[in-house]
Amino acid sequence: MAKIGLAFSGGGVRSAAFCSGVLRRLLQKNVKIDYLSCVSGGGYTGSAYMDWKYRHGKKDDKRWHQELFDHMRERIGLICNWQKPCQAIGQSFAILGVILFSSLIVPVLSWMSIAYPLAFVVDFLFGEILRGCPLNMTLEECEQQEHLSLDVIYFHQAALFSTPLFLALLCLLLKSFIPKAKSLFKLLSTSFLACFALLFFPWFISDFLNYLPVWLKFAIFVPLFLAWISSPLTRSSATLMTGIYVSSFVIYWRVYKESVFEWGYSDRSFDLLLGMTTLLHWIMPLLGIIQQRLMHVYLR
């Protein structure tokens, strides 16, 4: 008689849940499992099954099978048990809270803690180039009073945007020719691209995005949020893009002294928030530990 082997793959609690369903169905059909191989999350189900089987004389029995699966369901952790609707609703809110805290609140706070210092530095170094002229003056007035043509203003802005972009592309090219410094050039290229984004996007907000309705500006967060929760492969990129997007509005608020989401600018407000973000640096390590622990609970 042919022997049957069963293999459970990895994937955390999701694999354990899927494998438990497969195992339950096979046991209901009285399939005799001769070999069992498990990896990672599949080992949760496989090891639990073998432990219970050995404690019941190495014999399968429908009575302890049901006890096993009930035991696993009750102790599996953060999962929605819809056999108890009220409990499942509370668990759903708990899971949603974990996702929102880890994927939105902590990354935004992390970037906000450096966004205001960045805004101060960008305004101090490049504010006049981004605006094209001093505050409280239009480009036409600046052109008339200071004899500075619009072509020169646009040339300065183009040079400001193209320099970090060129350096990023150069680092990407050098990374291919110098494998030993691959990690260094990758870090430099990412840094230069971030510099480009933090200089270009505030200008883009001022000239284009500022004319969009407020709800559409918030709608940009939706694909970033979906990318964050959909796959670990896109998580770091989505977090980086979210941070750059939020920081760009802070830089725009400081450089152009314009309202952001109906919130008007004042030097007093900016200085207050700059001081608060300094204090935020002290608690970010604690928030990072909480985030990692919650994501371990969510993804295990």
Side-chain angles (χ1 to χ4, degrees):
M1 182 177 179
K3 293 187 176 182
I4 296 176
L6 180 61
F8 287 155
S9 64
V13 71
R14 290 161 293 188
S15 174
F18 178 81
C19 294
S20 67
V22 173
L23 178 62
R24 173 179 287 196
R25 189 61 174 170
L26 291 174
L27 294 177
Q28 288 175 347
K29 294 292 185 179
N30 296 316
V31 176
K32 184 178 182 298
I33 302 170
D34 300 293
Y35 303 100
L36 179 62
S37 176
C38 307
V39 176
S40 190
Y44 297 165
T45 298
S47 59
Y49 166 67
M50 294 304 299
D51 176 61
W52 278 62
K53 185 173 182 177
Y54 268 71
R55 287 193 285 114
H56 289 83
K58 301 182 181 180
K59 295 182 180 180
D60 287 309
D61 187 280
K62 293 185 180 298
R63 287 176 297 178
W64 70 259
H65 288 169
Q66 185 61 44
E67 293 178 7
L68 165 64
F69 293 115
D70 289 343
H71 179 86
M72 290 179 62
R73 178 183 290 276
E74 292 173 359
R75 293 164 177 80
I76 200 169
L78 196 58
I79 192 171
C80 299
N81 181 9
W82 287 100
Q83 292 182 344
K84 300 177 180 178
C86 293
Q87 178 181 336
I89 292 173
Q91 292 169 335
S92 299
F93 280 112
I95 292 176
L96 181 61
V98 168
I99 296 174
L100 288 176
F101 180 82
S102 300
S103 63
L104 184 62
I105 296 176
V106 172
V108 168
L109 287 177
S110 177
W111 275 91
M112 291 295 283
S113 67
I114 63 174
Y116 286 91
L118 273 176
F120 179 83
V121 172
V122 169
D123 180 50
F124 180 77
L125 296 177
F126 310 111
E128 192 163 323
I129 297 177
L130 289 173
R131 291 188 295 267
C133 61
L135 286 171
N136 303 320
M137 291 181 63
T138 64
L139 290 177
E140 291 75 12
E141 293 172 344
C142 183
E143 186 178 18
Q144 293 173 1
Q145 295 185 17
E146 301 191 11
H147 308 289
L148 191 65
S149 67
L150 292 178
D151 292 337
V152 174
I153 293 174
Y154 294 146
F155 173 79
H156 289 166
Q157 291 177 341
L160 179 64
F161 301 146
S162 60
T163 299
L165 191 60
F166 170 77
L167 292 175
L169 294 176
L170 180 62
C171 289
L172 290 174
L173 183 63
L174 291 175
K175 185 176 68 172
S176 304
F177 290 99
I178 311 177
K180 292 184 178 180
K182 184 177 180 180
S183 300
L184 174 61
F185 285 122
K186 182 179 180 180
L187 175 63
L188 289 174
S189 63
T190 303
S191 301
F192 284 129
L193 285 174
C195 289
F196 163 75
L198 292 171
L199 293 172
F200 176 78
F201 285 148
W203 173 84
F204 183 78
I205 292 171
S206 174
D207 282 29
F208 299 98
L209 200 61
N210 201 32
Y211 300 100
L212 296 178
V214 174
W215 68 267
L216 195 56
K217 296 175 186 177
F218 277 109
I220 296 178
F221 284 108
V222 175
L224 294 174
F225 177 71
L226 294 177
W228 202 98
I229 65 174
S230 61
S231 170
L233 298 176
T234 60
R235 193 161 296 145
S236 58
S237 298
T239 300
L240 179 62
M241 289 304 299
T242 302
I244 290 176
Y245 185 68
V246 172
S247 299
S248 297
F249 276 99
V250 176
I251 295 172
Y252 162 80
W253 191 55
R254 170 66 177 183
V255 171
Y256 294 94
K257 310 296 191 290
E258 298 286 347
S259 298
V260 172
F261 302 122
E262 307 302 327
W263 186 11
Y265 175 84
S266 70
D267 288 333
R268 181 183 177 85
S269 298
F270 182 84
D271 293 340
L272 177 62
L273 291 171
L274 183 62
M276 292 174 61
T277 55
T278 303
L279 297 176
L280 186 59
H281 277 289
W282 289 85
I283 65 171
M284 283 311 303
L286 175 61
L287 291 179
I289 294 173
I290 296 174
Q291 179 194 31
Q292 291 177 357
R293 179 56 185 164
L294 288 176
M295 290 314 301
H296 172 72
V297 172
Y298 172 65
L299 295 173
R300 66 175 179 168

